[in-house]
Amino acid sequence: DLLRQRRFAPFFWTQALGAGNDNVFKNALVIFVAYHAATLTAIDANTLVNLAAAIFIAPFVLLSATSGQLADKFEKSRLIRWVKLFEIAIMVVGLAGFWRQDLVFMFAALALLGVHSALFGPVKYAILPQHLRKDELIGGNGLVEMGTFVAILLGEIIGGLVIAIKPNGPVLAGATAIAVAVAGYVISRRIPETPAVAPNLRINWNPFTETW
């Protein structure tokens, strides 16, 4: 029933598209690096693949606590829309990287995707109690988790399939990521207003002390 209601469905599809898009781009990048690293850099493919994983995860470690403060201080539907606009900009950088076959652009986009997901994470968990009844929370959380992991799986599959298309797979992968990001933003505009729970919170902008 929740998937038919505005207080849940737009958020569900927004977060699912975001999770899927992370993996469309990340898997396309990993496959591209695995097959083309030798022509782009002296660093071997295995090192680059491991570096990609670290670059994507590092923002979660550094920024999750600060992102939690942002989720408390600001109205959540607006914050989500800003994050989705940020995702579109990131995917433009990613497309430029694929088009130019420039690892700097690709890895910069991957790092920014990690920032995007770290910013979205706390909002993802904080918004549900403001729109769902207590007896709906377990079901709502279950749907969100299911949607996230199904989207991750589909994103990895789509990223791998699109990057393999000859001869323009990399450009198509970047364009696909932009299209998914735009769809996520459009759907996010339907998320109901979700008031800040701590609008007077003073944010600690030092990610190291806040994480500690």
Side-chain angles (χ1 to χ4, degrees):
D1 289 343
L2 289 175
L3 288 172
R4 293 194 293 266
Q5 298 183 35
R6 187 183 171 195
R7 62 196 175 100
F8 181 80
F11 165 73
F12 173 86
W13 292 112
T14 298
Q15 64 85 27
L17 286 169
N21 210 22
D22 286 351
N23 288 275
V24 168
F25 184 83
K26 185 172 67 172
N27 205 38
L29 172 60
V30 166
I31 292 172
F32 181 84
V33 164
Y35 285 94
H36 298 281
T39 65
L40 300 174
T41 177
I43 304 172
D44 67 277
N46 287 335
T47 300
L48 286 173
V49 169
N50 289 327
L51 181 62
I55 285 174
F56 182 72
I57 292 299
F60 287 90
V61 179
L62 287 174
L63 299 177
S64 288
T66 305
S67 299
Q69 289 190 309
L70 295 174
D72 279 346
K73 183 174 180 63
F74 297 108
E75 193 273 310
K76 294 180 183 62
S77 67
R78 181 180 297 177
L79 182 59
I80 288 172
R81 288 193 291 273
W82 279 108
V83 171
K84 302 316 287 183
L85 286 172
F86 180 42
E87 181 186 358
I88 295 171
I90 294 167
M91 292 297 89
V92 171
V93 175
L95 174 60
F98 279 129
W99 179 59
R100 293 162 52 94
Q101 297 197 5
D102 188 322
L103 288 178
V104 173
F105 274 72
M106 294 181 206
F107 277 82
L110 186 64
L112 291 171
L113 266 185
V115 173
H116 152 270
S117 297
L119 290 172
F120 191 81
V123 183
K124 167 181 167 181
Y125 293 107
I127 197 171
L128 292 182
Q130 290 182 259
H131 290 297
L132 303 185
R133 302 189 305 268
K134 286 186 177 181
D135 62 314
E136 295 174 325
L137 270 176
I138 292 177
N141 275 313
L143 286 170
V144 169
E145 290 298 292
M146 177 200 70
T148 299
F149 285 103
V150 170
I152 288 171
L153 176 61
L154 292 176
E156 290 186 349
I157 293 170
I158 292 168
L161 291 174
V162 173
I163 196 74
I165 296 173
K166 301 293 184 181
N168 298 315
V171 174
L172 289 174
T176 299
I178 291 176
V180 175
V182 170
Y185 171 73
V186 171
I187 294 173
S188 74
R189 295 184 62 84
R190 294 282 297 162
I191 297 173
E193 184 175 345
T194 311
V197 296
N200 297 320
L201 178 68
R202 186 173 181 180
I203 293 175
N204 176 12
W205 292 107
N206 186 327
F208 298 100
T209 57
E210 184 59 27
T211 298
W212 179 258

